């Protein structure tokens, strides 16, 4: 499972990226934080999915990764249309979407 710090790095990085667009160092730092959060979340998600049925780990991993990359492709296509509104709009939207996912995850953990 990912720690609260892992899940919070994504919205923080997206938010910082919104206001550091004129700084190459700020962009690099925010993207590194965002990337680390994505990989931490992916590892935690795969471990959680495999725990559902360890004997079917291959099929579960394949299903997870298929959906993961399909959703990523859809997100990329959507971002391509949104980027015409400007980069700050894209990063603020990313902040909002990731923050909503963190909130939804926390709510679901309270109810389980």
């Amino acid at each position: 499972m990912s720690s609260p710090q892992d899940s919070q790095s994504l919205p923080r990085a997206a938010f910082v990226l919104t206001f550091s667009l004129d700084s190459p160092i700020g962009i690099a730092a925010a993207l590194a934080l965002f990337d680390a959060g994505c990989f931490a979340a992916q590892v935690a998600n795969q471990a959680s999915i495999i725990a559902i049925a360890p004997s079917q780990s291959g099929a579960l991993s394949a299903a997870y990764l298929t959906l993961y990359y399909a959703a990523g492709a859809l997100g990329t296509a959507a971002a391509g249309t949104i980027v015409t509104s400007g980069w700050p709009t894209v990063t603020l939207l990313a902040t909002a979407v990731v923050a909503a996912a963190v909130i939804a995850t926390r709510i679901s953990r309270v109810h389980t």
Side-chain angles (χ1 to χ4, degrees):
M1 295 290 252
S2 63
S3 70
Q5 291 77 20
D6 292 339
S7 63
Q8 292 173 2
S9 71
L10 293 172
R12 286 180 183 163
F15 186 74
V16 168
L17 190 56
T18 301
F19 300 103
S20 64
L21 295 174
D22 56 349
S23 166
I25 293 172
I27 291 172
L31 288 175
L33 183 61
F34 195 84
D35 193 45
C38 284
F39 281 113
Q42 188 174 15
V43 169
N45 289 338
Q46 282 185 300
S48 297
I49 288 170
I50 290 172
I52 294 169
S55 63
Q56 297 179 343
S57 63
L60 291 171
S61 288
Y64 169 75
L65 289 172
T66 299
L67 293 172
Y68 179 86
Y69 286 106
L74 291 173
T76 300
T81 60
I82 295 167
V83 79
T84 59
S85 299
W87 187 245
T89 302
V90 174
T91 57
L92 286 172
L93 181 61
T95 301
V97 169
V98 174
V102 169
I103 291 167
T105 301
R106 289 180 182 221
I107 289 170
S108 73
R109 287 183 182 168
V110 168
H111 296 297
T112 56

